[in-house]
Amino acid sequence: MGQRRRAGTVNTSSSQRFSGAPAQAARKHNICMVSDFFYPNMGGVESHIYHLSQCLIEKGHKVMYNQSTATTCFHSLPLLRCVFVRERITVVHAHSSFSAMAHDALFHAKTMGLNTVFTDHSLFGFADISSVLTNKLLTVSLCDTNHIVCVSYTSKENTVLRATLNPEIVSVIPNAVDPTDFTPDPSQRQDDRITIVVISRLVYRKGIDLLGGIIPELCLKHPDLHFLIGGEGPKRIVLEEVREKYQLHDRVRLLGALEHKDVRGVLVQGHIFLNTSLTEAFCMAIVEGASCGLQVVSTRVGGIPEVLPEDLITLCDPTVGSLCAGLETVIARQRSGFVPSPASIHAHVRNLYTWRNVAERTEKVYDQVAGEGVLPFNRRLQRLRAHCGPVAGSIFAFVAVLDFLFLLFLQWLVPDRVMDIAVDATGPHGLWRQETSSINRTHLKPAIKREAERENISQ
């Protein structure tokens, strides 16, 4: 198996390690992104993984993606081992506490002696049964993970408390938005009305019940107010009932699920972007709305106060009364014309969060964990029992032993040396690019030779 020996650890804090200091050497990594959430499904995690991967490939790293929604701990080991060995993976980067595949991949990668990184995209509570079970699973998964990334400082505090982690191994790297995908276009607005845009999954934690209370109250006070709502989910019935009860069919449009390419076309039709989330680690939707030049009104929950400057967002308590008051303030400002132009808002937002900056900071995390190594198996068992409690720790230590024995059996059955290595076909140094360049040179040589002959003849 060849467990790697631990190199000398660095005692500096994570904020110092990844604050932008130049790297000593440009190290290239083979990265496996793992999550249950990816395209064609839409959401913040899916968008984060896709754009981060594209920027990492642009920087010369090899990135591949693993997605599954029907795995069990031992069933996934043969599949993941095949991927990790064939793709020569050096870093396994798992995303989202909700992803079963992410937890499986972290567990097996550590058994195989691979470096691991985990990004947490959500906030959890501590009181209900679901949160208690999820937090215990997260404690097991992260107790020997090399490094953890959170998308906001609120998310970092939440994750450190939930998984009882050392804050030194947790970094904050926010989400980002591609500003070229979200540009303002005031010509798409209708001047005879004020349009409030909501783009969200229609689920409880996104505050759709609050939205159902806001719509009739504001529509009664403002006859020229319209709502444009994009998204799908089980709470759609709440909005349909409100629209039917108050006869607002011509003022409340439910667009259903939107593809990512269609989001900008909806945003530019609005004047105000409304977010009613009850919990949020980092809300990418409000950055997209501001990038399109909209005034943003949002609940003051989770990491949202960290996302935008105070002059670009109006924060409210997660109640119908507070949100209505905040919206009326912004509506009055919109009517009076004392609002920044969409172009100026876009210019302010476009440099706040960029995927290239996120990729650079994530690259520093990979460089750091590549020098740390992985815990030897005996120390891993000791940490599981010490960190996760006498009962859960002993259970998962026993599962880790079974996982190790299963890996030994798979290595005996199909040794690593007989497994075909996958061809690196994509990326800046990929085989396809090299073959294309070779073909171009092959075709150009005869043309250059003929041109030289013509010059000789003419002379």
Side-chain angles (χ1 to χ4, degrees), residues 311-329:
D311 56 332
L312 296 182
I313 186 170
T314 300
L315 295 171
C316 311
D317 294 329
T319 63
V320 172
S322 179
L323 284 166
C324 285
L327 284 167
E328 291 203 68
T329 300

Side-chain angles (χ1 to χ4, degrees), residues 35 46 64 100 119 177 199 274 297 344-345:
S35 181
E46 292 88 339
M64 60 87 57
T119 296
V177 168
I199 296 181
L274 174 62
V297 178
S344 64
I345 297 176

Side-chain angles (χ1 to χ4, degrees), residues 123 241 284 368:
L123 300 178
E241 288 175 350
M284 294 176 67
Q368 177 69 27

Side-chain angles (χ1 to χ4, degrees), residues 30-108:
N30 292 348
I31 305 146
C32 180
M33 300 284 184
V34 187
S35 181
D36 289 344
F37 311 106
F38 197 60
Y39 292 158
N41 299 325
M42 298 306 303
V45 179
E46 292 88 339
S47 178
H48 179 101
I49 295 172
Y50 174 77
H51 286 100
L52 174 60
S53 299
Q54 293 298 312
C55 290
L56 289 171
I57 291 172
E58 186 181 80
K59 293 173 74 65
H61 302 285
K62 178 180 178 180
V63 183
M64 60 87 57
Y65 183 76
N66 249 8
Q67 177 187 24
S68 175
T69 55
T71 62
T72 58
C73 183
F74 297 111
H75 170 264
S76 60
L77 177 56
L79 302 175
L80 289 171
R81 172 180 173 255
C82 180
V83 172
F84 295 161
V85 173
R86 294 192 71 239
E87 300 287 347
R88 292 174 287 186
I89 296 300
T90 58
V91 177
V92 176
H93 191 163
H95 293 261
S96 180
S97 302
F98 292 105
S99 172
M101 187 71 171
H103 293 290
D104 281 2
L106 288 176
F107 199 77
H108 298 320

Side-chain angles (χ1 to χ4, degrees), residues 272-312:
I272 301 168
F273 183 85
L274 174 62
N275 172 59
T276 58
S277 293
L278 301 178
T279 175
E280 201 78 67
F282 183 102
C283 187
M284 294 176 67
I286 63 176
V287 182
E288 294 170 352
S291 184
C292 288
L294 279 69
Q295 299 290 306
V296 177
V297 178
S298 176
T299 48
R300 189 189 291 106
V301 296
I304 289 179
E306 305 173 25
V307 177
L308 290 174
E310 293 181 357
D311 56 332
L312 296 182

